[in-house]
């Protein structure tokens, strides 16, 4: 008997029990749907987050103070005051770091702000006039911090939307004065609302010259970070090396393991976040895959009932000349067709639901969320569900094939 | 040459510690073209004998030759092939596939026959025509009367043009009028197409069609007589 006829027989068998067939594949449908959704949504989340990191700029390099942890068990990453004005000057010299286009010291921390009886604790972010350009944080009203503000430690702030809302729910703060650490700060600019999903949340920040933050807010002489931009993406890695060499020389460090600073690039951040998200997606997809095994057990269960139910049919087919192999093939194919169809339905359902969710996310939450159809996962879903059918269909099919025609015909 | 021959045929069903002998040494031959009725009270072993002759079950003792070959020498697949090509079965309870049309039911043996699919429809239609059900091709078993169901079963047994047709109480579930029609069809097949028929019955009107009656009692042949077919007056002559 050809495979074509075998498939026809199995399809006819399934068609005479439509309701049972539909219920049987439910487990597989749900399992594959879950896998497709996890992978599709995982990809969407990854694209979104990586896109936001990328928004910071591929040329950006971050220099952070303190010995950096060398591994997951190395928790002695001591924050120190190792980055100071002299480092900034040294890094700014063309002969030390030839491909550095911009360099900006950063000071940050929390401090309470007051305005007409209202209080709020924003993140104080001290930088230079480059801040707006490096972090894409241009005020929607007013002006940015200028080089003059920095030189003169001016008492000026640019506020994020949340800070404005909390300090003054009923009116705009532009041009008003707010009080931080006993000093009056003129609000020179208001940042546009970025939303909570941005990688750096400027909504809760108060931007000011780093000199002002150092001198009047935190009372420190060091920096919490130095942001640098290479003149091109191609020069990022050489710039990282130049930064390390310059700082080691300046700090008298010969053993790189004893560095009292760290250098981060956006590529590192992308790699780290990408790895985390991939691991998470794979983990969730594996959890979803377990449901496929559960679905397979369901198939086996129903197939066993079906074999007992159709004992007469099996006996009749044998009496009419079906071989054991014919019967085995028929029941095995029924299981495989069931799981295969379940897989296809699951892929369509999973893709449809993921697409609907992506529409909701991009339209209701206004995020740059893209729907991706996970071809690999779909392919894998079909293969796995077919294999599940093969494995869990084998036992019932063998049971069917082993029935003696007489026993089967006698069965009432 | 005999079509089927049994020598000292025995069948004992063993269930853990209880052994139940059903057939206790039968010896007879059946020639091609015979119409044999096997009769006997219930428990005499008629059905078991038919199952062994029909290669649905293997004997526990003695020998069974089909077309002069020891059936013990056949493999499982060869036995399945023989059932498909040479043997046709009609059961008391029809055994049609539910929710499947008359045409598809009759085609069932062809699926396992290796015959080209282009032939299936015409072969099935011919067999259905032979039992007079051409107007019921697309009906499902649930839409048919008992007599019609049994006629479909006969068409299914016929479709591969087998050597022997085994009928196990084919009229047992039918009223006498439907039973007569079914028997007339079996009779016609035997007369016109030369099929060997082996029929089990305990109804005397059914037995009237036979040319030879083997009576069983307690697993032994009680009598084996050639009789005049009381319907046609034809006596089988070798």
């Amino acid at each position: 008997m050809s495979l074509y006829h075998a498939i026809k027989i199995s399809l006819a068998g399934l068609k005479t029990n439509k309701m049972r067939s539909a219920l049987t594949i439910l487990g597989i449908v749900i399992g594959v749907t879950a896998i497709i959704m996890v992978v599709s949504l995982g990809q969407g989340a990854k694209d979104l987050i990586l896109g936001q990191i990328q928004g910071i700029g591929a040329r950006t390099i971050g220099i952070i103070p303190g010995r950096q942890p060398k591994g997951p068990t190395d928790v002695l990453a001591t924050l120190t005051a190792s980055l100071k004005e002299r480092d900034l000057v040294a890094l700014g010299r063309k002969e030390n770091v030839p491909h550095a286009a911009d360099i900006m010291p950063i000071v940050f921390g929390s401090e309470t702000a007051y305005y007409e009886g209202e209080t709020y604790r924003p993140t104080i972010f001290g930088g230079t006039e480059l801040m707006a350009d490096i972090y894409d944080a241009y005020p929607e009203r007013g002006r940015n911090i200028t080089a003059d503000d920095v030189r003169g430690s001016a008492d000026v702030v640019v506020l994020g939307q949340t800070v404005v809302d909390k300090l003054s729910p009923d009116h705009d703060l532009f041009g008003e004065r707010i009080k931080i650490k006993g000093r009056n700060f003129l609000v020179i600019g208001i940042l546009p609302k970025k939303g909570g999903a941005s990688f750096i949340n400027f909504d809760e920040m108060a931007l000011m010259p780093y000199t002002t933050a150092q001198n009047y807010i935190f009372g420190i002489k060091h920096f919490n970070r130095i942001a640098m931009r290479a003149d091109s993406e191609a020069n990022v890695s050489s710039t990282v090396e130049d930064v390390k060499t310059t700082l080691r020389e300046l700090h008298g460090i010969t053993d790189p393991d004893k560095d009292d600073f760290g250098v981060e690039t956006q590529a590192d951040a992308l790699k780290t976040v990408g790895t985390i998200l991939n691991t998470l997606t794979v983990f969730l997809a594996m959890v979803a895959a377990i449901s496929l095994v559960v679905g397979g057990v369901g198939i086996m269960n129903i197939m066993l009932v079906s074999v007992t139910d159709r004992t007469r049919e099996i006996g009749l087919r044998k009496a009419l000349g079906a071989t054991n192999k014919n019967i085995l093939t028929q029941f095995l194919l029924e299981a495989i067709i069931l799981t295969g169809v379940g897989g296809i339905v699951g892929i369509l359902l999973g893709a449809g639901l993921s697409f609907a969710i992506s529409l909701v996310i991009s339209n209701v939450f206004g995020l740059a969320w893209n729907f991706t159809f996970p071809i690999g996962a779909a392919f894998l879903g079909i293969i796995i569900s077919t294999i599940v059918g093969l494995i869990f269909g084998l036992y019932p099919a063998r049971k069917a094939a082993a029935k003696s025609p007489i026993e089967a015909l006698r069965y009432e | 040459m005999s079509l089927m021959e049994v020598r000292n045929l025995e069948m004992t069903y063993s269930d853990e510690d209880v052994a139940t002998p059903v057939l206790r040494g039968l010896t007879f031959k059946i020639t091609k073209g015979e119409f044999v009725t096997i009769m006997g009270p219930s428990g005499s072993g008629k059905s078991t004998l038919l199952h062994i002759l029909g290669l649905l079950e293997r004997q526990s003792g003695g020998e069974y030759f089909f077309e002069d070959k020891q059936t013990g020498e056949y493999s499982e697949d060869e036995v399945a092939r023989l059932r498909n090509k040479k043997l046709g079965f009609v059961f008391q309870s029809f055994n049609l596939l539910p929710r499947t049309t008359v045409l598809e039911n009759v085609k069932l043996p062809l699926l396992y026959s290796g015959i080209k699919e282009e032939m299936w429809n015409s072969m099935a239609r011919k067999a259905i025509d032979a039992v007079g059900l051409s107007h019921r091709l697309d009906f499902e078993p649930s839409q048919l009367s008992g007599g019609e169901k049994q006629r479909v079963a006969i068409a299914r047994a016929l479709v591969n043009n087998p050597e022997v047709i085994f009928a196990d109480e084919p009229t047992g579930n039918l009223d006498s009028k439907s039973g007569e029609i079914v028997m007339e069809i079996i009779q016609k097949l035997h007369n016109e197409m030369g099929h060997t028929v082996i029929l089990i019955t305990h109804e005397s009107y059914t037995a009237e069609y036979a040319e030879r009656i083997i009576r069983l009692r307690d697993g032994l042949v009680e009598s084996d007589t050639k009789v005049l077919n009381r319907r046609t007056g034809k006596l089988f002559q070798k």
Side-chain angles (χ1 to χ4, degrees):
Chain A
M1 191 172 53
S2 69
L3 186 66
Y4 166 72
H5 288 128
I7 291 173
K8 255 175 97 168
I9 293 173
S10 302
L11 280 177
L14 295 173
K15 256 200 275 183
T16 46
N17 280 302
K18 284 197 199 78
M19 190 64 186
R20 175 187 285 180
S21 303
L23 287 175
T24 307
I25 63 170
L26 207 56
I28 298 290
V29 170
I30 293 170
V32 175
T33 304
I35 290 177
I36 296 293
M37 283 182 70
V38 163
V39 175
S40 175
L41 295 179
Q43 186 64 44
K46 192 176 138 190
D47 289 349
L48 178 75
I49 294 170
L50 295 188
Q52 278 175 350
I53 298 173
Q54 237 143 12
I56 301 164
R59 295 184 288 134
T60 309
I61 297 164
I63 303 150
I64 41 181
R67 191 167 70 81
Q68 299 307 300
K70 294 288 184 283
T73 52
D74 185 2
V75 290
L76 280 168
T78 43
L79 276 171
T80 63
S82 61
L83 292 181
K84 298 203 170 77
E85 196 70 34
R86 62 176 185 138
D87 299 297
L88 190 67
V89 174
L91 292 172
R93 284 186 209 279
K94 275 287 165 208
E95 60 267 32
N96 288 337
V97 190
H99 295 292
D102 304 307
I103 181 161
M104 175 177 81
I106 296 167
V107 177
F108 54 82
S110 283
E111 198 52 69
T112 313
Y114 303 87
Y115 176 75
E116 289 183 352
E118 299 287 341
T119 63
Y120 182 69
R121 209 173 159 83
T123 301
I124 308 290
F125 191 90
T128 69
E129 69 282 1
L130 294 169
M131 196 153 45
D133 191 37
I134 292 177
Y135 294 109
D136 190 26
Y138 290 96
E140 67 174 359
R141 289 193 66 191
R143 64 172 178 86
N144 189 16
I145 285 155
T146 62
D148 281 343
D149 293 333
V150 176
R151 254 191 306 277
S153 301
D155 294 336
V156 291
V157 281
V158 175
L159 297 181
Q161 280 291 344
T162 309
V163 185
V164 174
D165 292 345
K166 295 284 182 185
L167 287 179
S168 168
D170 49 353
H171 66 273
D172 198 359
L173 276 179
F174 183 65
E176 302 287 317
R177 279 176 197 281
I178 63 169
K179 195 168 268 204
I180 305 170
K181 267 267 169 123
R183 288 180 82 87
N184 282 317
F185 286 81
L186 176 68
V187 179
I188 56 166
I190 310 277
L191 293 172
K193 190 170 175 60
K194 283 223 172 182
S198 294
F199 192 59
I200 299 173
N201 189 356
F202 280 98
D203 288 358
E204 290 165 13
M205 287 197 184
L207 313 183
M208 62 176 66
Y210 79 93
T211 47
T212 316
Q214 272 187 324
N215 297 336
Y216 305 128
I217 309 283
F218 302 119
I220 53 173
K221 291 284 178 206
H222 61 268
F223 310 125
N224 298 115
R225 190 182 178 93
I226 292 173
M228 184 184 270
R229 275 201 299 196
D231 52 10
S232 78
E233 251 182 84
N235 289 329
V236 167
S237 51
S238 71
T239 306
V240 168
E241 285 315 306
D242 290 340
V243 166
K244 284 181 178 168
T245 314
T246 308
L247 290 182
R248 278 178 198 142
E249 204 169 302
L250 202 62
H251 296 181
I253 296 164
T254 45
D255 179 5
D257 284 343
K258 296 208 167 83
D259 278 354
D260 59 356
F261 62 91
V263 184
E264 298 175 338
T265 62
Q266 192 221 38
D268 293 340
L270 282 179
K271 222 165 101 183
T272 310
V273 174
T275 308
I276 292 169
L277 289 173
N278 280 341
T279 312
L280 203 65
T281 304
V282 168
F283 174 72
L284 286 174
M286 275 167 67
V287 171
I290 291 173
S291 66
L292 273 186
V293 176
V294 178
V297 173
I299 296 238
M300 179 160 72
N301 209 341
I302 306 271
M303 289 300 292
L304 280 174
V305 173
S306 175
V307 166
T308 309
D309 237 30
R310 290 156 68 188
T311 298
R312 283 183 84 84
E313 178 197 326
I314 296 163
L316 175 71
R317 285 180 187 276
K318 284 195 152 185
L320 298 181
T323 59
N324 290 352
K325 205 178 136 221
N326 290 149
I327 301 292
L328 183 86
T329 310
Q330 177 187 345
F331 280 86
L332 203 53
L333 274 175
E334 280 191 22
I336 292 172
I337 291 169
L338 278 178
T339 50
V341 169
I344 292 168
V345 173
I347 286 167
L348 295 177
L349 200 63
L353 285 174
S354 304
F355 182 67
I357 290 173
S358 74
L359 283 184
V360 170
I361 293 175
S362 54
N363 291 333
V364 177
F365 297 101
L367 295 174
W369 187 282
N370 288 318
F371 167 73
T372 41
F373 180 73
I375 297 162
F379 198 62
L380 212 67
I382 290 264
I383 289 179
I384 290 177
S385 51
T386 309
I387 289 174
V388 162
L390 191 72
I391 290 172
F392 290 96
L394 196 61
Y395 175 60
R398 288 174 68 120
K399 247 188 118 163
K403 280 186 188 290
S404 124
I406 278 308
E407 229 173 287
L409 282 169
R410 273 202 204 113
Y411 181 86
E412 294 292 338
Chain B
M1 158 183 144
S2 64
L3 180 63
M4 289 176 255
E5 181 181 357
V6 293
R7 289 181 201 158
N8 240 340
L9 191 74
E10 286 177 20
M11 186 67 184
T12 304
Y13 290 105
S14 303
D15 187 15
E16 286 173 17
D17 41 24
V18 192
T20 320
V22 179
L23 301 178
R24 305 198 248 193
L26 307 183
T27 303
F28 59 83
K29 288 182 185 181
I30 291 171
T31 314
K32 197 170 151 71
E34 272 192 288
F35 192 134
V36 183
T37 293
I38 300 171
M39 297 188 79
S42 51
S44 60
K46 355 181 247 305
S47 286
T48 303
L49 176 59
L50 185 121
H51 292 155
I52 292 170
L53 293 179
L55 294 169
L56 295 171
E57 207 170 6
R58 290 190 194 236
Q59 70 272 25
S60 55
E63 290 165 310
Y64 170 28
F65 297 88
F66 184 86
E67 290 184 331
D68 293 328
K69 195 177 169 193
Q70 258 278 23
T71 54
E73 291 167 13
Y74 289 113
S75 71
E76 282 281 319
D77 282 3
E78 281 171 323
V79 165
R81 238 179 81 82
L82 275 180
R83 284 199 293 256
N84 186 255
K85 300 278 182 200
K86 307 257 180 173
L87 315 177
F89 294 92
V90 178
F91 304 97
Q92 182 178 355
S93 50
F94 322 131
N95 282 319
L96 300 177
L97 289 188
R99 279 161 287 178
T100 306
T101 63
V102 166
L103 185 65
E104 292 301 319
N105 261 297
V106 173
K107 274 199 222 165
L108 208 54
L110 299 172
L111 253 59
Y112 304 108
S113 67
I115 295 170
K116 278 196 186 122
E117 197 183 352
E118 297 94 83
M119 310 281 293
W120 293 4
N121 267 326
S122 64
M123 287 174 81
R125 279 165 192 275
K126 212 178 120 200
I128 294 166
D129 198 39
V131 299
L133 283 177
S134 296
H135 58 300
R136 294 277 192 263
L137 282 183
D138 296 323
F139 280 51
E140 290 181 5
S142 57
Q143 298 167 291
L144 301 174
S145 72
E148 286 174 323
K149 281 184 201 169
Q150 197 58 295
R151 282 151 73 189
V152 175
I154 294 171
R156 185 180 62 195
L158 274 185
V159 73
N160 260 348
N161 195 26
E163 205 71 59
V164 195
I165 291 175
F166 292 95
D168 189 355
E169 307 242 19
T171 58
N173 281 355
L174 304 176
D175 59 81
S176 58
K177 196 167 166 286
S178 308
E180 291 261 358
I181 297 171
V182 164
M183 284 313 300
E184 287 295 335
I185 289 170
I186 293 176
Q187 163 89 15
K188 203 179 86 185
L189 295 174
H190 170 65
N191 284 349
E192 292 173 11
M193 294 157 90
H195 292 290
T196 308
V197 176
I198 297 176
L199 172 82
I200 288 186
T201 189
H202 58 258
E203 287 159 318
S204 50
Y205 81 88
T206 315
E208 283 175 9
Y209 293 88
E211 293 153 10
R212 177 181 172 191
I213 298 177
I214 298 175
R215 284 185 192 276
L216 298 185
R217 180 174 292 274
D218 297 330
L220 290 164
V221 176
E222 190 186 45
S223 66
D224 182 352
T225 46
K226 296 223 159 81
V227 295
L228 192 70
N229 182 325
R230 277 142 291 176
R231 294 279 170 146
T232 60
K234 181 182 159 227
L235 179 68
F236 179 76
Q237 297 291 340
K238 196 174 173 182

